[in-house]
Amino acid sequence: MNKVLDTVDQRTQLVGENRLELLLFRISSTQLFAINVFKVKEVVKLPAINMLPGSNPKIYGVANIRGTSIPVINLREAIGFSKMPITDDSNLIITEYNRSVQAFLVGKVEHIINMTWSDIMPPPKTSGAHNYLTAITKVEQEGITHLVSIIDVEKVLAEIIDYDVSLSEGVLDESLVPNMPGRKVLIVDDSSTARKQVRDTLTPLGIDIIEASDGLQALRLLQSWADDGKQVADELLMMITDAEMPEMDGYKLTAEVRADPRMTSLFITLNTSLSGSFNKAMVEKVGCNEFISKFQPDLLVGVVQDRLRSLLVL
C-alpha cells in the first residue's frame, strides 16, 4: 500500500496552487471516504493489535510499527457507525495531526485522486451540526459518479483527546489585558472543532471572534468591508486561517489578500495541523506573518499578544 504515497514530496507542490490530493478508502461497502494525503504518513495492512483495557471505546488498541507504539482509532465507530468488521481488506492509515501520530482502522484503501479545492464542497446543511465531515466531493469511477465524504479528523480526535485551552502560568501578559476587549479576530477554518478551540482560547480574553468556514467565504467578507470603505487592517487585529479548506485554501486566501492593496497589510497567522519546514516555507512564499501548528493555546495567545504590542507601540 505504501506505493500510493511514494511521491508525497512531489505532492507538496500542489499546496499553494489551490489543489489537493485525497486518499480514498472505505469503512462500509457502499460509501467512499477520504482524508488529505498531506496528513498521511503511510498505509499498512492491519498488523497485530494490542488491546488497551479501560481506554476510550473508540481506541481499538495499539500497533507496533517498526518499534513505535501507535494508537489505533476505529474510524468507523468514531464517526457513529456500527463496529468495524476485520477482514482481509482491513488497513491502517497512519497520520500526523496536531503534532501527534495515530492510526485509523479502515477497510479497503482505494487510490489517490488529484483535485482542486474548488471541487470540494461544504457538507449539506441538512447533515446537521454533529456530523463528522468537513466537506464532500464527487469522483467518477467506471462511468459512475460517487459521492466522497471527507472526514473531519480534528473533530474525531477532539472527542478522544482532551484538548486543554487553559494557558500556562506566565503566558498571559496582564498589562495587555485591558487592551484586548473589543479587538476582532477572523478565524477561517472548515473544521467547526478547530474554530471552537481557537474561540474558546481567545474569547475569555475579551476578543471578539468572527468566523468563516472556508477561504472564499473569508475573502468575500474582507472584500465587502473594503468595498464599504473600511480599512480591513484596522477592523481586525488579525486573521487566523487554516491551510486546507473547501473552495479556497489558506495559502491562496493569503495570496489574494496580499494582492489587494486595500487589505495587503492585514496581519495573517497560518494555524494548521500540518507541520514541518514545508509549511514554514509556504508561509514565507505567500506572505503570512506567523505560523502555528495546531493546537497550542500558549503560542496562539503569544502571537495575539505580540501583534497587540506592535500596535500599541505604534
Side-chain angles (χ1 to χ4, degrees):
M1 295 306 302
N2 283 336
K3 65 182 180 181
V4 299
L5 300 173
D6 284 345
T7 58
V8 69
D9 287 340
Q10 298 174 23
R11 294 190 175 98
T12 60
Q13 302 307 313
L14 298 176
V15 180
E17 303 298 329
N18 212 42
R19 301 189 66 84
L20 78 160
E21 288 192 319
L22 296 173
L23 179 64
L24 303 184
F25 59 90
R26 295 184 183 273
I27 56 176
S28 71
S29 60
T30 59
Q31 197 170 356
L32 278 172
F33 293 85
I35 60 175
N36 195 309
V37 166
F38 287 129
K39 308 291 181 67
V40 178
K41 294 174 69 69
E42 62 179 313
V43 179
V44 298
K45 295 299 292 183
L46 183 63
I49 302 293
N50 297 314
M51 299 297 108
L52 288 177
S55 63
N56 187 298
K58 296 175 182 178
I59 299 290
Y60 184 70
V62 174
N64 188 298
I65 307 296
R66 288 182 293 281
T68 300
S69 295
I70 299 176
V72 176
I73 298 168
N74 189 322
L75 188 56
R76 181 182 168 104
E77 287 190 82
I79 64 174
F81 284 76
S82 58
K83 188 173 182 178
M84 178 84 185
I86 303 302
T87 70
D88 291 341
D89 284 334
S90 296
N91 290 277
L92 293 185
I93 300 178
I94 301 172
T95 66
E96 183 173 3
Y97 281 83
N98 304 349
R99 308 174 321 282
S100 68
V101 176
Q102 53 280 310
F104 292 102
L105 172 62
V106 301
K108 183 180 180 182
V109 174
E110 297 276 345
H111 55 278
I112 288 172
I113 55 173
N114 184 317
M115 310 194 78
T116 69
W117 278 109
S118 59
D119 297 321
I120 310 299
M121 301 165 287
K125 296 186 184 300
T126 53
S127 60
H130 300 293
N131 70 82
Y132 289 86
L133 307 180
T134 55
I136 59 173
T137 191
K138 296 178 180 179
V139 297
E140 295 283 338
Q141 289 186 340
E142 299 178 350
I144 300 174
T145 301
H146 297 270
L147 187 69
V148 178
S149 300
I150 303 173
I151 299 291
D152 185 348
V153 176
E154 288 170 338
K155 181 174 182 177
V156 172
L157 294 177
E159 294 183 355
I160 297 172
I161 302 169
D162 184 20
Y163 288 108
D164 186 2
V165 299
S166 63
L167 300 178
S168 301
E169 185 177 354
V171 169
L172 187 61
D173 185 341
E174 298 294 342
S175 68
L176 292 174
V177 171
N179 297 283
M180 292 183 181
R183 301 281 182 171
K184 297 182 178 67
V185 170
L186 173 60
I187 302 172
V188 191
D189 201 304
D190 59 330
S191 170
S192 60
T193 298
R195 295 198 305 272
K196 182 179 185 300
Q197 289 170 339
V198 175
R199 185 173 66 245
D200 289 351
T201 302
L202 298 183
T203 299
L205 304 180
I207 292 174
D208 295 336
I209 300 299
I210 303 168
E211 298 184 32
S213 57
D214 64 67
L216 185 58
Q217 183 185 57
L219 181 63
R220 286 172 174 168
L221 174 63
L222 296 175
Q223 289 172 334
S224 70
W225 289 352
D227 291 342
D228 290 340
K230 295 180 179 179
Q231 296 296 318
V232 172
D234 293 339
E235 289 289 319
L236 294 172
L237 180 64
M238 67 173 60
M239 177 171 71
I240 300 172
T241 180
D242 188 21
E244 306 162 278
M245 295 176 289
E247 299 202 74
M248 179 181 290
D249 66 25
Y251 303 110
K252 180 67 172 176
L253 169 62
T254 301
E256 291 289 334
V257 169
R258 293 293 182 242
D260 190 327
R262 302 174 301 172
M263 60 182 79
T264 187
S265 60
L266 177 62
F267 191 96
I268 302 174
T269 296
L270 187 71
N271 184 42
T272 172
S273 52
L274 294 170
S275 58
S277 58
F278 172 73
N279 251 314
K280 294 177 182 178
M282 284 304 304
V283 164
E284 294 179 3
K285 177 180 177 182
V286 301
C288 288
N289 298 96
E290 292 286 351
F291 162 72
I292 304 174
S293 59
K294 295 177 182 175
F295 175 68
Q296 303 183 78
D298 287 355
L299 293 183
L300 178 61
V301 170
V303 168
V304 169
Q305 291 184 151
D306 286 345
R307 174 58 177 162
L308 188 53
R309 284 191 195 96
S310 70
L311 294 177
L312 294 176
V313 169
L314 295 175

